Each structure stands twice: as C-alpha cells, then as structure tokens.
Amino acid sequence: MIVPGLDFLLVTRLAVLRGRSAALQATLGIATGVAAWGVAGFFGIRTLFIAAPWLYLALKIGGGLYLITIGIKLFISSWHSTAEPTQATSATEARSSHFLAGLLTNLANPKAPIFISSLFAATMPRHAPIHLGLACVAAMFAVAVAWFALVTLLLSLERVSAVFLRCRRWVDRCAGLAFMALGMRFVTERAPN
C-alpha cells in the first residue's frame, strides 16, 4: 500500500524543513495515491497487468526512474551548503508541489498495485458489491492520512526538528541512497508471475 520508508522520508523532511502545512499537503498526496491504488486494486489491475505485462513493465521502469531522480537530487544537495532550495513563488504553487511530491512518491511504487490487488483477492468476496470495495478504499485513505498526520505532528515539534537539522546532511544522503537503491531495484527486478 505504502512504499516502506519513502513516503515516511518525504513527510519527515517536509515536516522538519518546510513545516506542518507542507507535510500535510504531501500527506494528502500520499493518501490520494493509496486511494488510487486501492480503486485500481479493487477493479482488478493485477488482472490487467497479467493480460498486458508491458503495462507493469512501464510502471516499474517509470516509477524506478522517478525514484532514482529524486534520490540523485537528494544526495547531490546534501553535499552543498545547508541553505534550503528557494521556495515556490506562491502558496498555491508550494501546496500543489508538496501534494504532487506525495502523490508521485506513492504512485512510483510498482509493488503497490500487486500488493493491493492481492489483498483484495484474498479478503474480498468474489462478487463484492462496489460500496464494499469503495468503503475499503476510504478506510485505506483514512489510515494513510491518520498515520502521516501523526508523523507530521511529531516531527514538526521544535525539539525533534532540532535533532533532525543537526543530522540533516546524513539523513539526506541516506534518504537519497535509499531512493536510488529502491529505484534501481524496481528497474532491474523481474516481473512477478
């Protein structure tokens, strides 16, 4: 459902460096990605990927390249001055970029549709009514929002932020390497049967 660590790293960085508002915008983007995968899973994206394996391959490669790009940017920026990159020019632009970062980070995970569709296949009745599937998707959205909002609230506390800022360069380097490694894994991994 959620890329282990990557969504968390994004929300962590935004909560500490840009504040609660930015991290909560990313949280909504992440939860929207979770809901999108949930809807796709309920309606059988796994079946589609089995019927057209090139779609899964395209998602894997595109998602992997996106993660590699994000990782490279993080890693390179960790070696430069401690100044934060320039802010977006308007509040609306900043909100949309944080939301989009959360959404793309979640959607870039090619394992999410397989995981979610398998979850639905294992837990839902064969001819589940649409309202049951949509209720499950709504629950997934709510859990993602609740979890990342909690992370945001904790990590935007002044004491926690101070610790993060002291270790920021190393956290960014580790996060960049993690994004690149996961992206490489997605690009080079064989498709599931």
Side-chain angles (χ1 to χ4, degrees):
M1 175 168 50
I2 297 170
V3 181
L6 299 182
D7 292 336
F8 184 80
L9 288 171
L10 176 66
V11 170
T12 298
R13 290 188 85 253
L14 288 174
V16 172
L17 299 174
R18 302 291 176 128
R20 284 184 184 159
S21 178
L24 289 173
Q25 289 297 320
T27 292
L28 290 176
I30 291 165
T32 301
V34 168
W37 285 130
V39 168
F42 178 70
F43 289 106
I45 196 166
R46 184 171 192 272
T47 304
L48 178 63
F49 284 163
I50 290 169
W54 66 269
L55 285 175
Y56 179 77
L57 181 63
L59 176 66
K60 252 178 41 117
I61 292 172
L65 292 174
Y66 172 75
L67 294 175
I68 290 168
T69 302
I70 296 296
I72 290 170
K73 287 180 181 180
L74 265 175
F75 191 77
I76 289 172
S77 71
S78 75
W79 294 96
H80 296 299
S81 72
T82 58
E84 191 58 22
T86 57
Q87 301 269 343
T89 57
S90 72
T92 302
E93 188 178 318
R95 276 194 304 273
S96 68
S97 70
H98 300 314
F99 175 87
L100 190 61
L103 178 65
L104 291 177
T105 298
N106 189 272
L107 292 179
N109 180 7
K111 295 205 178 280
I114 302 302
F115 172 77
I116 290 174
S117 60
S118 298
L119 182 65
F120 277 121
T123 61
M124 298 289 277
R126 183 169 176 85
H127 299 289
I130 290 177
H131 72 273
L132 179 60
L134 294 179
C136 290
V137 170
M140 293 164 60
F141 180 87
V143 167
V145 168
W147 166 247
F148 286 111
L150 176 65
V151 169
T152 295
L153 294 175
L154 291 174
L155 293 175
S156 61
L157 294 172
E158 194 172 320
R159 285 184 177 174
V160 178
S161 295
V163 170
F164 181 89
L165 290 173
R166 281 195 301 272
C167 304
R168 179 175 165 213
R169 286 181 181 230
W170 289 104
V171 169
D172 284 353
R173 289 173 190 157
C174 292
L177 290 173
F179 272 78
M180 287 186 282
L182 194 57
M184 287 299 296
R185 180 176 174 205
F186 288 162
V187 168
T188 60
E189 185 178 53
R190 290 179 39 171
N193 294 328

